[in-house]
PDB file of all heavy atoms in Angstrom:
ATOM      1  N   ILE E  67      31.453  28.819 -39.233  1.00 97.00           N
ATOM      2  CA  ILE E  67      31.232  28.401 -40.641  1.00 97.00           C
ATOM      3  C   ILE E  67      29.930  27.591 -40.707  1.00 97.00           C
ATOM      4  O   ILE E  67      29.120  27.797 -41.661  1.00 97.00           O
ATOM      5  CB  ILE E  67      32.414  27.543 -41.124  1.00 97.00           C
ATOM      6  CG1 ILE E  67      33.697  28.357 -41.177  1.00 97.00           C
ATOM      7  CG2 ILE E  67      32.145  26.876 -42.437  1.00 97.00           C
ATOM      8  CD1 ILE E  67      33.769  29.341 -42.352  1.00 97.00           C
ATOM      9  N   GLU E  68      29.740  26.694 -39.783  1.00 97.00           N
ATOM     10  CA  GLU E  68      28.488  25.876 -39.751  1.00 97.00           C
ATOM     11  C   GLU E  68      27.270  26.781 -39.539  1.00 97.00           C
ATOM     12  O   GLU E  68      26.255  26.569 -40.177  1.00 97.00           O
ATOM     13  CB  GLU E  68      28.577  24.845 -38.693  1.00 97.00           C
ATOM     14  CG  GLU E  68      29.600  23.747 -38.991  1.00 97.00           C
ATOM     15  CD  GLU E  68      29.794  22.741 -37.854  1.00 97.00           C
ATOM     16  OE1 GLU E  68      29.162  22.866 -36.796  1.00 97.00           O
ATOM     17  OE2 GLU E  68      30.606  21.859 -38.033  1.00 97.00           O
ATOM     18  N   ARG E  69      27.421  27.786 -38.660  1.00 97.00           N
ATOM     19  CA  ARG E  69      26.309  28.723 -38.447  1.00 97.00           C
ATOM     20  C   ARG E  69      25.961  29.484 -39.707  1.00 97.00           C
ATOM     21  O   ARG E  69      24.793  29.655 -40.077  1.00 97.00           O
ATOM     22  CB  ARG E  69      26.658  29.665 -37.285  1.00 97.00           C
ATOM     23  CG  ARG E  69      25.615  30.676 -36.941  1.00 97.00           C
ATOM     24  CD  ARG E  69      24.495  30.100 -36.172  1.00 97.00           C
ATOM     25  NE  ARG E  69      24.904  29.410 -34.966  1.00 97.00           N
ATOM     26  CZ  ARG E  69      24.147  28.595 -34.243  1.00 97.00           C
ATOM     27  NH1 ARG E  69      22.873  28.409 -34.631  1.00 97.00           N
ATOM     28  NH2 ARG E  69      24.600  28.002 -33.209  1.00 97.00           N
ATOM     29  N   ILE E  70      26.956  29.968 -40.422  1.00 97.00           N
ATOM     30  CA  ILE E  70      26.719  30.699 -41.674  1.00 97.00           C
ATOM     31  C   ILE E  70      26.038  29.789 -42.690  1.00 97.00           C
ATOM     32  O   ILE E  70      25.088  30.233 -43.360  1.00 97.00           O
ATOM     33  CB  ILE E  70      28.052  31.296 -42.225  1.00 97.00           C
ATOM     34  CG1 ILE E  70      28.529  32.380 -41.323  1.00 97.00           C
ATOM     35  CG2 ILE E  70      27.898  31.745 -43.678  1.00 97.00           C
ATOM     36  CD1 ILE E  70      29.975  32.790 -41.577  1.00 97.00           C
ATOM     37  N   TYR E  71      26.490  28.568 -42.828  1.00 97.00           N
ATOM     38  CA  TYR E  71      25.902  27.630 -43.778  1.00 97.00           C
ATOM     39  C   TYR E  71      24.452  27.355 -43.364  1.00 97.00           C
ATOM     40  O   TYR E  71      23.575  27.284 -44.239  1.00 97.00           O
ATOM     41  CB  TYR E  71      26.742  26.322 -43.806  1.00 97.00           C
ATOM     42  CG  TYR E  71      26.306  25.360 -44.918  1.00 97.00           C
ATOM     43  CD1 TYR E  71      26.819  25.556 -46.180  1.00 97.00           C
ATOM     44  CD2 TYR E  71      25.407  24.333 -44.676  1.00 97.00           C
ATOM     45  CE1 TYR E  71      26.464  24.719 -47.234  1.00 97.00           C
ATOM     46  CE2 TYR E  71      25.053  23.489 -45.725  1.00 97.00           C
ATOM     47  CZ  TYR E  71      25.587  23.697 -47.001  1.00 97.00           C
ATOM     48  OH  TYR E  71      25.257  22.856 -47.987  1.00 97.00           O
ATOM     49  N   ASN E  72      24.224  27.207 -42.075  1.00 96.00           N
ATOM     50  CA  ASN E  72      22.858  26.951 -41.561  1.00 96.00           C
ATOM     51  C   ASN E  72      21.927  28.114 -41.897  1.00 96.00           C
ATOM     52  O   ASN E  72      20.803  27.907 -42.401  1.00 96.00           O
ATOM     53  CB  ASN E  72      22.922  26.725 -40.091  1.00 96.00           C
ATOM     54  CG  ASN E  72      21.627  26.127 -39.482  1.00 96.00           C
ATOM     55  OD1 ASN E  72      21.707  25.648 -38.331  1.00 96.00           O
ATOM     56  ND2 ASN E  72      20.571  26.066 -40.196  1.00 96.00           N
ATOM     57  N   ILE E  73      22.373  29.306 -41.664  1.00 96.00           N
ATOM     58  CA  ILE E  73      21.579  30.491 -41.969  1.00 96.00           C
ATOM     59  C   ILE E  73      21.292  30.588 -43.475  1.00 96.00           C
ATOM     60  O   ILE E  73      20.185  30.847 -43.914  1.00 96.00           O
ATOM     61  CB  ILE E  73      22.261  31.786 -41.468  1.00 96.00           C
ATOM     62  CG1 ILE E  73      22.239  31.790 -39.927  1.00 96.00           C
ATOM     63  CG2 ILE E  73      21.595  33.006 -42.026  1.00 96.00           C
ATOM     64  CD1 ILE E  73      23.143  32.861 -39.314  1.00 96.00           C
ATOM     65  N   GLY E  74      22.328  30.292 -44.265  1.00 96.00           N
ATOM     66  CA  GLY E  74      22.130  30.301 -45.755  1.00 96.00           C
ATOM     67  C   GLY E  74      21.087  29.289 -46.158  1.00 96.00           C
ATOM     68  O   GLY E  74      20.271  29.559 -47.065  1.00 96.00           O
ATOM     69  N   ALA E  75      21.141  28.087 -45.561  1.00 95.00           N
ATOM     70  CA  ALA E  75      20.153  27.028 -45.939  1.00 95.00           C
ATOM     71  C   ALA E  75      18.742  27.447 -45.547  1.00 95.00           C
ATOM     72  O   ALA E  75      17.763  27.242 -46.298  1.00 95.00           O
ATOM     73  CB  ALA E  75      20.495  25.738 -45.237  1.00 95.00           C
ATOM     74  N   ILE E  76      18.592  28.117 -44.388  1.00 93.00           N
ATOM     75  CA  ILE E  76      17.278  28.582 -43.967  1.00 93.00           C
ATOM     76  C   ILE E  76      16.754  29.650 -44.950  1.00 93.00           C
ATOM     77  O   ILE E  76      15.604  29.628 -45.320  1.00 93.00           O
ATOM     78  CB  ILE E  76      17.323  29.118 -42.516  1.00 93.00           C
ATOM     79  CG1 ILE E  76      17.566  27.953 -41.549  1.00 93.00           C
ATOM     80  CG2 ILE E  76      16.027  29.841 -42.159  1.00 93.00           C
ATOM     81  CD1 ILE E  76      17.861  28.363 -40.117  1.00 93.00           C
ATOM     82  N   ILE E  77      17.616  30.615 -45.250  1.00 94.00           N
ATOM     83  CA  ILE E  77      17.228  31.682 -46.201  1.00 94.00           C
ATOM     84  C   ILE E  77      16.834  31.103 -47.543  1.00 94.00           C
ATOM     85  O   ILE E  77      15.820  31.491 -48.158  1.00 94.00           O
ATOM     86  CB  ILE E  77      18.284  32.772 -46.312  1.00 94.00           C
ATOM     87  CG1 ILE E  77      18.392  33.567 -44.969  1.00 94.00           C
ATOM     88  CG2 ILE E  77      18.023  33.705 -47.463  1.00 94.00           C
ATOM     89  CD1 ILE E  77      19.571  34.499 -44.877  1.00 94.00           C
TER      90      ILE E  77
END
Side-chain angles (χ1 to χ4, degrees):
I67 295 284
E68 292 174 358
R69 180 73 57 193
I70 290 167
Y71 191 83
N72 195 166
I73 291 168
I76 291 170
I77 291 171

